[in-house]
Structures are given as C-alpha cells and as structure tokens.
Amino acid sequence: MKILIIALSGIGDALMFTPALKLLKINYPDAKIDALAMFTGVKDILSRNEYINEVLFYNFLKQGTVKSFLYLLKLRNKYDVSINVYPSNRKEYNIFSFLIGAKKRAAVNYLRKDFSNLGFLNNVTIAENDNLHNVEENIKLVEKISQKEFNLKPSLELPLSNEEEIYAEKFFQKENISADQFVIGFHPGCATLKNHIKRRWEPEKFSELGKKLIKNFDAKILIFGGPEEIELKNEVLRGINSTNAFQVETKNLAHSAAIMKRCNLFITNDSSLMHVAAALRLNVIAIIGPTNTNYIRPWQTKHKIISLNLECAPCFYYSPKPLTCTRKDVQFKCIKELSVDMVYSTAEKFISE
C-alpha cells in the first residue's frame, strides 16, 4: 500500500498529525508512507520522522497555478490512500487530493463551509467535532481508514540529532547560561495569514513580564521566533532591557527546538512553537484569545492556559474566512485585556511547584 500525507498547512498542524502517523504505521507496517509539504519547517519535521519514507517538497505558493497543476499530475494514481492533515480545510487542498487521484481520499468533513470548500471531493471522511483536539481528529481519521479503533493516543514527535543538541550546548556556553539557572522561553509571535496576527499578546506585555521574572527569579529569558519575527523579537528584547534577556537566532527550526529543550518554562501565544514546546515535553503557558482551546491546547505536556473565557469565546473556528471580532466595546478583548499579572501569577505557580 502507498499512502500520501498531504501536509500543506503549517508546522503545528504537521506536529499534531505525528501521533496519527505512528498509529497508521502500526496498522500498516509494510506501507510506503510519503508526505507532501510546501513549507520548509514542515519538510524538516516530517523528514526526521521514522514513519515517513519520503517527503515531497513543492512550493505551490511560489510556483503558481499552471506549474502546480502539472506537478500534481505527476503524482496522479501513484497512491492508494491520501490523507489531508486536519485542519487543512481549504478548497485548494481538496482539489490537490482529488487531482492526485488516490482511490481513498481521507479528510475531515467541516462543520462550517465544507461544501463551498469542496469537501465532497473526499470519499473517506469523519465529521468535525469542536470538542476534540486536532490530534484526536487526526487519529479518528486514521481509525476510519483502518476500520479499527485505537486505544493509544501517542505524543507529538520531534526527534533531534546529536548535532542539534551540540548546537544548543554551544549556544548556552556562548551566552554563559549555566545548567543551574532558570531559563524561560518566550514566543511573542504567531501566524499572520487571515488576520491571525490579532491572536498575539502585545509585545510590550511580554517585555513587562520578562522584567518581573528577571527581577523576582533572576530568570534567563530567551526570545524565540522565525526569521519573519526578528523585529518583533527585537522589540521585546529592547523593552526588557536586561543582560538576562537574549534573542535566539538560528538557521532552522530544529536548532531553535534544541535550544528550547533547555527551557524550564515556555510562555507563548497560540503558535507553532507552542506545539514544538509540547513535543519537547516542556512546561507551557499558552496565552489564548479567540481560538477554541479544545483544538490546540498543548498536547500531553504539563501546561496552563491563560484565557479570559469571555462569553463570546471561542469565536475562531476552522474556516477559510479571516479572523474577525464582532464585539462593540473592545475589539479582540479576549487578548487585549489579558494582563501581565495574570500570566505572571501563573508563571510563579509553575516556578514554585
């Protein structure tokens, strides 16, 4: 059997498929399992997974419609099963799966705008459930393909190499951070597509939080983020204005993850690095505004969620439409009125435990 995992969304989504991937391999030990990715971070995560035979990488966004169409035709009828990683709910992904032409095309039937996004092109489906985690949705999808119920719910998988571990050791040596010092990671960024930048806690609040953690616990603060978040990281670093705060700059996700592994606590927006932190089994504080926490809470790691739990929340569900806020008093109140004291007091509890 040849199976293709269509993982065209982001890093977090790819990580949240890895438990289902393990169960897929357990059920089909002799299957050739490939993955299709268009982001380098996703390629890196899946390339190091022992259950994947080959990662096919193609930048559909850069190559355009005609070249993308021709590339997909090259894959046509090469696979028996294709699986759209949840929550890949865009019509483009369903079209891609249809063009690839596997006999079994598996995906989740979405509660919102499924028909307009051509969900009917898939022929092995489960119904979306707002009470389930993304990991659980992916597992249920594999159960439907396998016609078998699994009792296992594996952890996220992100193995690191010796070279990456050594890279992290050299980072801490260079910054003179010793093994006995308390290290806290910050990720002040998140995705920006479809207005998701509104999910970010303000950078000045991260700065204020960093100051308090340094003052009261002599913590070392490491500020993480992708290459597109350099200015954001700089803003937080300038706001903290302390020799105990460091901006982490690496060439790839794996090197960042290796440094993250040393963190005693990781404080983050709803982002891909939140899921990386979960894969590393870190203590996580997740700052979450409009998103349904059932979907994306840190999976199988010790965590606390900071949320105002407003009556209008969650308002962000999986849908192609951009993130919007219907409140008349304060737009995106769910994130804007989350105070530094709320996050600090939660961090304090983690540190004292």
Side-chain angles (χ1 to χ4, degrees):
M1 179 181 286
K2 293 182 179 180
I3 301 171
L4 182 65
I5 310 302
I6 302 175
L8 299 177
S9 47
I11 291 167
D13 293 342
L15 276 172
M16 287 188 284
F17 189 78
T18 56
L21 177 60
K22 181 175 183 176
L23 297 176
L24 190 66
K25 190 63 175 178
I26 288 172
N27 199 60
Y28 297 107
D30 299 322
K32 181 180 187 290
I33 303 178
D34 294 341
L36 177 62
M38 68 174 175
F39 295 114
T40 54
V42 173
K43 177 187 175 184
D44 185 28
I45 286 169
L46 296 179
S47 294
R48 64 184 62 231
N49 190 290
E50 63 178 313
Y51 310 118
I52 293 288
N53 293 88
E54 181 182 2
V55 177
L56 310 175
F57 180 75
Y58 195 81
N59 192 332
F60 292 97
L61 294 174
K62 184 178 179 180
Q63 295 299 330
T65 304
V66 174
K67 288 183 178 179
S68 295
F69 176 75
L70 294 174
Y71 177 81
L72 291 168
L73 289 185
K74 291 179 183 179
L75 302 179
R76 188 161 178 80
N77 299 326
K78 289 187 176 182
Y79 293 94
D80 304 295
V81 178
S82 64
I83 304 173
N84 268 346
V85 168
Y86 182 77
S88 299
N89 61 333
R90 294 176 57 173
K91 61 180 177 291
E92 290 86 351
Y93 302 154
N94 291 324
I95 291 172
F96 287 3
S97 178
F98 183 75
L99 289 174
I100 290 167
K103 290 181 180 178
K104 293 183 178 180
R105 300 180 299 279
V108 172
N109 271 343
Y110 292 87
L111 294 174
R112 304 158 193 89
K113 299 184 180 295
D114 187 73
F115 185 82
S116 62
N117 280 279
L118 311 183
F120 56 83
L121 294 178
N122 306 304
N123 58 16
V124 178
T125 61
I126 62 168
E128 185 178 39
N129 184 337
D130 284 337
N131 295 316
L132 295 182
H133 195 282
N134 289 8
V135 169
E136 294 170 308
E137 296 275 29
N138 284 318
I139 288 174
K140 285 193 171 294
L141 199 54
V142 169
E143 287 178 338
K144 183 67 177 286
I145 295 165
S146 309
Q147 295 186 332
K148 181 185 295 184
E149 187 173 338
F150 298 106
N151 294 320
L152 294 174
K153 289 185 179 179
S155 302
L156 309 186
E157 295 195 12
L158 181 58
L160 298 172
S161 68
N162 287 335
E163 181 275 327
E164 289 151 0
E165 300 276 10
I166 291 168
Y167 178 92
E169 288 176 12
K170 289 180 178 178
F171 171 87
F172 288 107
Q173 289 170 4
K174 175 177 174 289
E175 302 297 352
N176 197 28
I177 299 174
S178 62
D180 62 339
Q181 291 177 305
F182 199 88
V183 177
I184 301 176
F186 282 1
H187 183 216
C190 73
T192 59
L193 294 174
K194 298 194 298 184
N195 205 33
H196 285 193
I197 196 170
K198 298 296 186 181
R199 291 188 284 128
R200 289 182 179 178
W201 200 44
E202 295 94 326
E204 57 269 24
K205 290 182 179 176
F206 272 104
S207 296
E208 188 180 342
L209 176 65
K211 286 180 179 179
K212 294 186 71 169
L213 291 168
I214 290 169
K215 178 182 177 182
N216 296 327
F217 298 101
D218 194 30
K220 300 290 186 179
I221 306 294
L222 304 185
I223 307 166
F224 293 87
E228 73 286 356
E229 294 171 344
I230 290 174
E231 180 49 41
L232 174 64
K233 291 189 291 181
N234 277 329
E235 185 179 352
V236 175
L237 185 65
R238 288 193 300 267
I240 296 175
N241 190 27
S242 168
T243 56
N244 271 29
F246 309 84
Q247 182 183 161
V248 178
E249 293 186 31
T250 63
K251 293 183 178 179
N252 57 54
L253 176 65
H255 283 159
S256 292
I259 295 171
M260 283 174 61
K261 192 174 178 181
R262 167 67 179 80
C263 292
N264 303 97
L265 178 62
F266 197 78
I267 302 175
T268 175
N269 291 322
D270 166 16
S271 70
S272 60
L273 288 190
M274 178 181 75
H275 300 297
V276 171
L280 297 171
R281 317 291 189 271
L282 302 183
N283 296 325
V284 180
I285 293 177
I287 301 169
I288 297 178
T291 313
N292 185 339
T293 58
N294 292 337
Y295 294 165
I296 50 82
R297 67 185 183 276
W299 179 255
Q300 291 191 0
T301 197
K302 190 174 180 182
H303 69 275
K304 298 182 189 296
I305 291 173
I306 308 294
S307 177
L308 289 180
N309 297 311
L310 299 177
E311 73 286 351
C312 56
C315 63
F316 169 62
Y317 296 92
Y318 292 127
S319 168
K321 74 181 185 68
L323 179 62
T324 58
C325 179
T326 59
R327 293 191 71 94
K328 303 301 182 185
D329 52 352
V330 179
Q331 284 280 289
F332 295 100
K333 179 177 181 176
C334 57
I335 197 75
K336 286 186 177 179
E337 294 195 357
L338 278 172
S339 70
V340 172
D341 285 342
M342 287 178 67
V343 183
Y344 175 79
S345 63
T346 303
E348 194 175 30
K349 291 173 185 175
F350 254 127
I351 294 169
S352 62
E353 286 177 357

